[in-house]
Each structure stands twice: as C-alpha cells, then as structure tokens.
Amino acid sequence: MKTFFPKFLFLLSLLILTGSCKKDDDNGIDDTKAENLLGLGESAEDLLSDDIYKSLVIEFVYSNGFRPEQETIDGFRQFIMERVNKPEGVSIVETVIAPPEGAPYSTQEIRDIEDANRTRYTQDDQIAVYVFFANGSFVGDTNTSVTLGTAYRNTSIVVYQETLQSLQVDRFLIESTTLRHEFGHIFGLVNILNDDIHTDHEDPSSNKHCVVEDCLMYFASTVPKTIPNPTEKDIPVLDPLCLADLQAKGGK
Ligand SMILES: [Zn+2]
Ligand SMILES: [Zn+2]
C-alpha cells in the first residue's frame, strides 16, 4: 500500500507556557482552576506518582462527530494505567459539548474553549487532565504541514480530531499515537523542564523529543502510517530511556 501523503510533513507541536494565565478575581473560580493553569511538564510528578494524588481523572471533551474510536479509548486507558501509580484508579469521563465556533483554531482559542467547557479540575487527592478533540484544525496548518495535537498546559491537551479524520489512514493508529504522544509531553517528556533528564536522549535536532527513532516520543512518531488493520502492537511505545525518566518521577 502506498503512502497517502508522501510530501506532507506532519508536525507535532509542543508549546511551553509559563503559568501566567489571566485571572478573574471576582468569583473565586480561579482557585478551583489554579492547579490546572501551570506550564507544560510542571505536573509530571503529580501525574505519575501517588505522593499527592491517589487517583487520576481524564476528561475527554468533544462535540458530536469527533469522539475518538472506542478502541482508541480502551487502549489509551491501559497505556495510562501501566505508567502511573494511582492506587485509587484512573478514570476517563466524557463531556459532549456544542460545537465550538472559530475553527481553524489558534492556541488562544483552544485555551478559551477549555476555559468555557472543562468540567474536571484537580482537587483533593485527585488530579485531572483535559483533552479536547477539536472539531477543526490548527490555524497554523499549511498545505505541507499539519498539527495533529498539542500539549499546551500542565494538564491540557488538544487533539485536532477533524484533521485526523480527514487523513486517509487508520483512525485507531493515528488517534492512539497522537493521544499517547501528547500525554508523554505532560508527563514531562522529553526533558521538558530541563532539570530532570536521566539519560541523554533529547533529540538535538527536535526540541523536547526523543532521539530514539522508534520511540513514542520521537518527533515524527505520529506521522500517519498505512499499516493494514493495525493493532495495539503497531502503536509506538516508550523506549527504555523515556520509561526510566517516568519512573524517576514516580511512575511505573
Ligand atoms: Zn511532540
Ligand atoms: Zn524515548
């Protein structure tokens, strides 16, 4: 089978934000959200270990037509459970919203959509992650390069689901790879905060990605592939160096 998009370079984007988000002081909501407005990588240890948070809830937010496949969700849950130490469990909740307007989206619009629609925030001993499966593409896409997903806060990910669905490739494979890769970024991979690397595996030619070419965190891991009837074993996995980084932060 031929590659469908031989000339396209599919980019993953990675955005490092400081935690400086606009605050509303009049309603107290920001206290609720404060733990979820930090920079990328800042909650890696909290997500991986059971030091503070004993359970993890992941909220999938999408509008009708943009839910990832059930097989993607089931495999993703297993992937997370194999990495995190959460004695009180990992749950995935789904929130269906009215289709946001304004696509293609800028990162600020993606942040605004989160602010308007996210319902689960870190509280007590449960840490929360938000994933938006967007009904549109990223505004920076071009004819030769598209963004499939971005991890843009400590517990926030967007997957450009409309873009994934427009590709003539297997949905399960591209959804699973994109989702897991972006989650790897909120786990702090690779060397996101520049202070916790245990092995020298950050790719010098691709910022915050892994130098190991078959690793999930390689910059091109989510380039769509045309494997017939892909299964779990066709999804890139974390190489031993990335796994060691996660274990050093309390992961499994
Ligand atoms: Zn990436
Ligand atoms: Zn790696």
Side-chain angles (χ1 to χ4, degrees), residues 190 201 210 212 215 217 238-239 241-242:
V190 170
H201 63 115
C210 182
V212 178
C215 177
M217 299 313 295
L238 294 165
D239 79 299
L241 303 175
C242 281

Side-chain angles (χ1 to χ4, degrees), residues 53-241:
Y53 301 106
K54 310 303 180 192
S55 64
L56 166 65
V57 59
I58 302 165
E59 181 179 23
F60 283 0
V61 175
Y62 52 82
S63 53
N64 282 328
F66 297 96
R67 182 182 193 262
E69 293 191 340
Q70 188 63 46
E71 188 181 11
T72 301
I73 297 173
D74 294 343
F76 172 71
R77 187 199 317 270
Q78 190 64 32
F79 168 80
I80 295 299
M81 286 175 44
E82 288 172 1
R83 298 279 69 84
V84 302
N85 271 306
K86 295 299 174 196
E88 294 177 14
V90 175
S91 54
I92 295 175
V93 299
E94 300 181 32
T95 303
V96 182
I97 61 172
E101 297 178 352
Y105 296 119
S106 67
T107 302
Q108 184 57 51
E109 287 172 316
I110 291 297
R111 292 168 67 171
D112 292 344
I113 290 168
E114 175 182 355
D115 293 342
N117 294 288
R118 180 172 181 162
T119 71
R120 304 301 290 261
Y121 292 88
T122 297
Q123 60 177 358
D124 302 326
D125 62 357
Q126 182 175 71
I127 189 166
V129 173
Y130 160 94
V131 184
F132 174 47
F133 295 88
N135 60 330
S137 58
F138 178 57
V139 72
D141 287 354
T142 68
N143 287 337
T144 55
S145 163
V146 298
T147 294
L148 303 181
T150 302
Y152 60 95
R153 281 175 178 152
N154 61 323
T155 62
S156 303
I157 290 168
V158 56
V159 172
Y160 289 99
Q161 183 71 8
E162 186 197 51
T163 303
L164 298 192
Q165 293 180 8
S166 73
L167 304 174
Q168 301 296 309
V169 296
D170 184 82
R171 284 267 305 277
F172 164 67
L173 186 61
I174 191 68
E175 284 177 354
S176 296
T177 307
T178 302
L179 187 55
R180 297 178 195 196
H181 179 100
E182 298 307 328
F183 226 90
H185 284 316
I186 68 171
F187 281 156
L189 297 172
V190 170
N191 198 23
I192 295 283
L193 296 184
N194 297 313
D195 63 353
D196 53 6
I197 193 153
H198 305 284
T199 43
D200 188 16
H201 63 115
E202 184 180 355
D203 188 344
S205 60
S206 182
N207 200 27
K208 306 308 177 190
H209 288 101
C210 182
V211 73
V212 178
E213 290 193 15
D214 59 358
C215 177
L216 177 65
M217 299 313 295
Y218 187 61
F219 82 97
S221 72
T222 64
V223 171
K225 298 180 179 64
T226 54
I227 299 168
N229 303 313
T231 63
E232 181 71 27
K233 69 176 171 43
D234 296 307
I235 300 168
V237 298
L238 294 165
D239 79 299
L241 303 175

